[in-house]
Amino acid sequence: MPHKLTAIDLFRGITILEVVAHHTSGLALRYAVPDTLSFMLLQLINRTLHFAVPAFVFLSAVVLTRSLLKNFRPGRYFWRRLTRGAWPYLLWSALYMGWYVWTGQRPASTLTDPDKWLFYLQYGKASYHLYFLLVALEVYLVIPLLLPLARRRPPIVLALLLGAALQLGIYLLNRSVLRVPYPASTVLWYMLPITVGMAVGARLDDFPAWWRKYRLVLIAAAATAYALYLPQALAYVRGEPLNPMVYSGLSWAYTTLMALTVLGVAYSLQRLSRRWRVGLGTIGMFSLQIYLIHPAILQTLERLHSPGGSAGLRAYHLGVLPAGPAAAGHAGTAAGGHPPEQIHLRPLRMGAHAGSGGPAGTAPGCQPGVRPGALQSGTL
């Protein structure tokens, strides 16, 4: 792998650890006592770690744009994306449908109900995290449409503005005309990170210098977006009424700026000692496998070590939260032991929400510990 792409694996490593920590905190919320310090801290962690799927979509746009600017043959490209992107989605949807029945979370009748199969496959609801694979297939279709703009190498700031305008326009169009039931489970919800990723991919060789020059401005902008987003996010999980346009806008701003920041941090982390860099990069290489299998691991741990009483709860918070990412670090081998490019999803190697956990929706198996509702399912 060329040295200049090492940051891509570091980005994946950082972000997949964020995914697992996000879902682990959501699971732990089910056992925390409301209005206690531990409960509020878990809510804070869960809502902060809410940017992974937009970040992975952003990275997918970066990698695909860079690749297609070098060599774009439409017939070959679309056939490879179809054959190498659709089957993992179908396979893992079927596996998780069986898993939820086997573990008693859904009735066995779901396996023989054509309407359930159609719903789960159409909206990525076979498990709360599989919508990402569906979004990935849609990203494959969108990126070639942006190539004329990518060839003009738009500045990143301009892409932020264009992407924000496009995202707002799609939001309003969906609210008044399209009315897609779960827009957060479709590419419609990620046009801002896709547009910014396209711009970064068009000038990836220049990005390290751009990061060094503007990192303080970018970090300040991300911190400002976070400060505005967090009260809205905490109000949402508490069930308080919100303006959905404000919540969604702040979520898009925070997650997209965080994606840019994480990529910059990944380039900076190339100066780490080799052991740490290789460790984080290796986790990144197996990010797709970790993403696919970690919900089953968390559910298994919950069944085996469900906390009981205050002592058990404390042990759960102190043990499972750190153990979740650690267990996921070994999930790549459990999932098959092959780097993601060998299962032909390299551009989207992992790269869950409207956030890392994604839109939970109202189907069984929604993101643990987070209240399903209109904002997450995208019905507003």
Side-chain angles (χ1 to χ4, degrees):
M1 177 182 295
H3 180 72
K4 61 188 175 185
L5 294 181
T6 302
I8 301 300
D9 287 314
L10 295 177
F11 180 103
R12 291 183 175 116
I14 294 168
T15 311
I16 195 60
L17 291 176
E18 182 271 337
V19 170
V20 177
H22 176 73
H23 286 161
T24 305
S25 67
L27 190 154
L29 272 170
R30 293 215 297 265
Y31 298 96
V33 179
D35 299 324
T36 61
L37 178 60
S38 62
F39 184 84
M40 290 185 287
L41 286 175
L42 284 169
Q43 281 190 327
L44 179 66
I45 292 170
N46 186 268
R47 294 298 88 190
T48 300
L49 301 177
H50 196 239
F51 58 86
V53 164
F56 278 125
V57 170
F58 159 82
L59 187 66
S60 300
V62 171
V63 176
L64 280 171
T65 299
R66 182 175 176 84
S67 174
L68 295 185
L69 285 177
K70 295 178 179 179
N71 181 24
F72 178 44
R73 290 182 284 174
R76 181 174 182 268
Y77 169 78
F78 286 114
W79 176 251
R80 288 170 67 90
R81 293 308 102 199
L82 176 64
T83 57
R84 299 181 178 186
W87 76 261
Y89 174 63
L90 296 174
L91 172 64
W92 283 92
S93 293
L95 289 174
Y96 268 99
M97 287 181 68
W99 168 262
Y100 278 107
V101 170
W102 184 59
T103 55
Q105 299 178 70
R106 291 176 184 158
S109 60
T110 58
L111 298 178
T112 56
D113 187 341
D115 291 335
K116 289 292 186 182
W117 279 88
L118 178 62
F119 173 76
Y120 292 148
L121 294 177
Q122 185 176 1
Y123 297 112
K125 302 297 185 184
S127 181
Y128 62 83
H129 67 307
L130 290 180
Y131 76 98
F132 170 75
L133 297 185
L134 185 61
V135 172
L137 289 170
E138 296 168 358
V139 171
Y140 294 148
L141 299 176
V142 170
I143 291 299
L145 301 178
L146 297 178
L147 286 181
L149 180 58
R151 293 188 179 100
R152 301 177 68 90
R153 302 179 75 243
I156 294 173
V157 174
L158 177 60
L160 278 165
L161 297 175
L162 291 175
L166 178 61
Q167 188 72 80
L168 178 60
I170 290 175
Y171 177 91
L172 295 174
L173 180 66
N174 184 69
R175 192 171 68 170
S176 60
V177 178
L178 299 178
R179 297 189 178 275
V180 176
Y182 298 95
S185 296
T186 73
V187 76
L188 297 176
W189 208 252
Y190 304 97
M191 291 311 300
L192 176 55
I194 287 172
T195 305
V196 176
M198 172 274 300
V200 173
R203 50 173 72 235
L204 188 59
D205 291 337
D206 301 331
F207 182 80
W210 183 89
W211 163 251
R212 288 191 296 270
K213 183 176 181 180
Y214 295 109
R215 59 187 172 187
L216 294 181
V217 175
L218 178 58
I219 292 171
T224 300
Y226 173 69
L228 296 172
Y229 153 82
L230 185 60
Q232 293 279 317
L234 292 176
Y236 166 66
V237 297
R238 291 193 294 264
E240 299 174 7
L242 293 173
N243 183 316
M245 183 181 294
V246 173
Y247 174 86
S248 298
L250 290 173
S251 177
W252 286 320
Y254 167 61
T255 56
T256 302
L257 292 172
M258 278 300 298
L260 268 174
T261 302
V262 171
L263 183 59
V265 169
Y267 274 98
S268 297
L269 290 179
Q270 287 182 298
R271 296 192 295 269
L272 282 175
S273 68
R274 177 176 172 80
R275 184 177 66 176
W276 286 101
R277 189 173 68 250
V278 169
L280 188 58
T282 300
I283 292 173
M285 288 180 62
F286 290 99
S287 57
L288 180 60
Q289 289 96 325
I290 295 171
Y291 183 81
L292 290 170
I293 203 171
H294 81 274
I297 293 176
L298 289 177
Q299 290 171 22
T300 300
L301 289 174
E302 181 183 20
R303 283 171 168 268
L304 294 176
H305 303 288
S306 182
S310 58
L313 181 61
R314 285 194 297 271
Y316 190 85
H317 290 166
L318 294 174
V320 175
L321 275 172
H330 301 285
T333 302
H338 299 289
E341 62 268 26
Q342 295 182 16
I343 61 171
H344 312 301
L345 276 177
R346 183 183 176 91
L348 288 143
R349 194 181 266 168
M350 191 15 249
H353 288 216
S356 81
T362 56
C366 64
Q367 181 186 337
V370 179
R371 180 180 62 85
L375 283 171
Q376 274 193 304
S377 63
T379 58
L380 294 181

